[in-house]
Amino acid sequence: MKVSLFITCLADVFYSNVGKSTVELLEKLGCEVDFPKSQTCCGQPAYNSGYHKETREVAKHMIKAFEQSDYVVGPSGSCVAMLHEYEELFANDPDWREKAHQLAGKSYELTQFIVEVLKVENVNAALPAHATYHKSCHMTRLLGVKDAPETLLQNVSGLNVTPLPNSHDCCGFGGTFSVKMVPISEQMVDEKVKHIQDTDAELLIGADCGCLMNIGGRINRKGIPIKVMHIAEVLSSGVK
């Protein structure tokens, strides 16, 4: 099965190991992974800030970048959800709307692809740790991916996952929200960190680099001894 990696900006710039783990995991599951070099930002920051005209140009570029791909898989539900938003962007342009529809139909978040397309629920990963899992807003509410990450984590050997209290709450990142609404964002992430501490977990797992950057940054500033890992890193741990 041929898969094109949609690396996303944050993984590309800040979390290269997440991209590496994603490729290693997909290859170990029998996929042939390629990387369309023309891909750029998905346009979500501009889109969420109301610059829809500018976002259409980015969307056209991304549609062309993945036009020949069989499947498009990314380690971020938020960014993949944006690819699905392209149809709405081209609501008044039938030709580009159809192309956007085709891209959306073959685009998946990593865990969603593993469970729903590859039909795999156990990747034979091993990680002895006590963890909790943060559900990111865009991944669950916009993309609709809720069960796949937890299904895969339940089958990681040695991993004990304690449910996160108020797991549905936003961490306060929200892309440009954390920059424009700093005081509110700070209070939201502090509340999230408190709930993480309440689980007594030594490890926080998430599926979106944006959330992990925000929460992990706050944990680090507070000097709290909790490690942060992307789910791709967890699922590639101990895999042979």
Side-chain angles (χ1 to χ4, degrees), residues 104-123:
K106 60 184 180 182
S107 299
Y108 296 85
E109 180 273 332
L110 177 62
T111 64
Q112 177 191 30
F113 180 75
I114 293 173
V115 174
E116 296 182 12
V117 179
L118 298 182
K119 305 298 181 183
V120 173
E121 295 188 352
N122 187 343
V123 299

Side-chain angles (χ1 to χ4, degrees), residues 9-10 40-52 54-55 58 78-79 82 86 138 173-177 179-180:
C9 295
L10 290 181
T40 59
C41 172
C42 64
Q44 186 179 135
Y47 180 72
N48 291 345
S49 297
Y51 296 98
H52 291 188
E54 290 80 0
T55 307
V58 176
S78 179
C79 298
M82 184 61 209
Y86 289 174
H138 287 178
F173 179 62
T176 56
F177 174 83
V179 178
K180 295 178 178 178

